[in-house]
Amino acid sequence: MAQKTTENGSSRGARYALVNRITNETKIQIAVSLDGGFITLDKSIFPEKTYTTSAEQHASQSTSSQVISINTGVGFLDHMIHALAKHGGWSLIVECIGDLHIDDHHTTEDVGIALGAAFKEALGTVRGVKRFGTGFAPLDEALSRAVVDLSNRPYAVIELGLKREKIGDLSCEMIPHFLESFAQAAHITLHVDCLRGFNDHHRAESAFKALAVAIKESISSNGTNEVPSTKGVLF
């Protein structure tokens, strides 16, 4: 059974969450600010080290507006989450210690779940935002489209048309599963399609970038403090 603790933005600023999720298969810590800015962890889940390898820094970036550090142990997954955070305008720290001696399934699925839970916690009540978002993103010959609804009705349709068995150490079948897991835990509806492209790396990365654009639009202000629903509620 998973153990999960969360901390919302009340003590750290608006639209912030800290999620710790521990199971027999993975140990995960995620901090996210949906509006960027400086974030940090009180304590890392990783053992203390006197050095950091270049492989652990490939999905890390710090600018005046964002702090991003992704370390799941699966390089291409780190790369995709980095793209999601960067183009979504998030500051995001993801740490995961998973049972990669088995395969990449538990790590990928559980990080998707934990990231979705952190997103939902950080967003809070769906009020005063656009709710719907659409994004298109190209990467060379590849073009993807994403459509998001902050519906509180979890659903995902993912059509990426990937042909390879793996990209790096990430199984291609786990890429849509990560997005499905994220949508379920975030309580959102999302549709992500790769419209064209022949390189699987490009197809997958354009999909994550399109999703980032769509989410960024969906959580942006609509200029009111109203619930964006004819029902008057979203739950």
Side-chain angles (χ1 to χ4, degrees):
M1 178 178 292
Q3 298 178 349
K4 188 182 80 171
T5 59
T6 63
E7 175 186 311
N8 63 27
S10 59
S11 63
R12 304 245 189 168
R15 305 210 297 188
Y16 170 91
L18 173 66
V19 168
N20 287 274
R21 187 177 190 274
I22 301 173
T23 73
N24 291 334
E25 298 160 344
T26 58
K27 182 177 182 180
I28 298 169
Q29 179 170 223
I30 293 179
V32 62
S33 169
L34 300 182
D35 301 303
F38 177 76
I39 62 172
T40 188
L41 296 174
D42 292 334
K43 182 175 176 58
S44 171
I45 65 171
F46 294 123
E48 291 186 9
K49 298 178 182 179
T50 57
Y51 66 93
T52 303
T53 67
S54 59
E56 292 170 334
Q57 285 296 307
H58 77 280
S60 296
Q61 187 173 16
S62 181
T63 69
S64 60
S65 61
Q66 286 177 283
V67 174
I68 302 171
S69 178
I70 318 296
N71 195 336
T72 68
V74 182
F76 192 71
L77 179 61
D78 292 354
H79 185 42
M80 294 300 94
I81 298 173
H82 184 189
L84 180 64
K86 181 62 181 178
H87 298 288
W90 304 351
S91 285
L92 178 66
I93 301 173
V94 177
E95 296 184 337
C96 177
I97 300 172
D99 55 2
L100 294 176
H101 60 284
I102 296 176
D103 66 7
D104 58 343
H105 185 103
H106 296 142
T107 289
T108 305
E109 179 180 69
D110 288 3
V111 169
I113 292 170
L115 183 58
F119 174 86
K120 185 176 187 299
E121 183 74 19
L123 183 62
T125 302
V126 181
R127 178 186 293 274
V129 296
K130 291 182 179 179
R131 174 180 167 181
F132 302 104
T134 303
F136 289 84
L139 181 53
D140 296 346
E141 88 296 344
L143 174 65
S144 291
R145 171 188 60 205
V147 183
V148 169
D149 177 8
L150 306 179
S151 59
N152 211 25
R153 296 190 300 276
Y155 202 83
V157 179
I158 316 296
E159 298 287 349
L160 302 184
L162 303 177
K163 304 177 293 296
R164 289 164 58 177
E165 180 182 355
K166 286 190 170 186
I167 305 176
D169 292 330
L170 180 61
S171 303
C172 283
E173 68 178 3
M174 292 307 302
I175 296 174
H177 188 54
F178 171 85
L179 295 174
E180 292 161 357
S181 300
F182 171 78
Q184 287 289 322
H187 287 214
I188 66 175
T189 295
L190 64 86
H191 293 253
V192 183
D193 305 276
C194 184
L195 304 177
R196 64 175 64 94
F198 56 81
N199 181 290
D200 277 356
H201 184 133
H202 292 173
R203 292 178 71 95
E205 187 169 345
S206 68
F208 273 77
K209 289 177 177 177
L211 178 59
V213 173
I215 291 177
K216 187 174 185 179
E217 180 182 23
S218 72
I219 67 174
S220 64
S221 173
N222 66 7
T224 76
N225 192 37
E226 298 173 0
V227 175
S229 172
T230 56
K231 296 181 179 67
V233 294
L234 280 171
F235 62 82

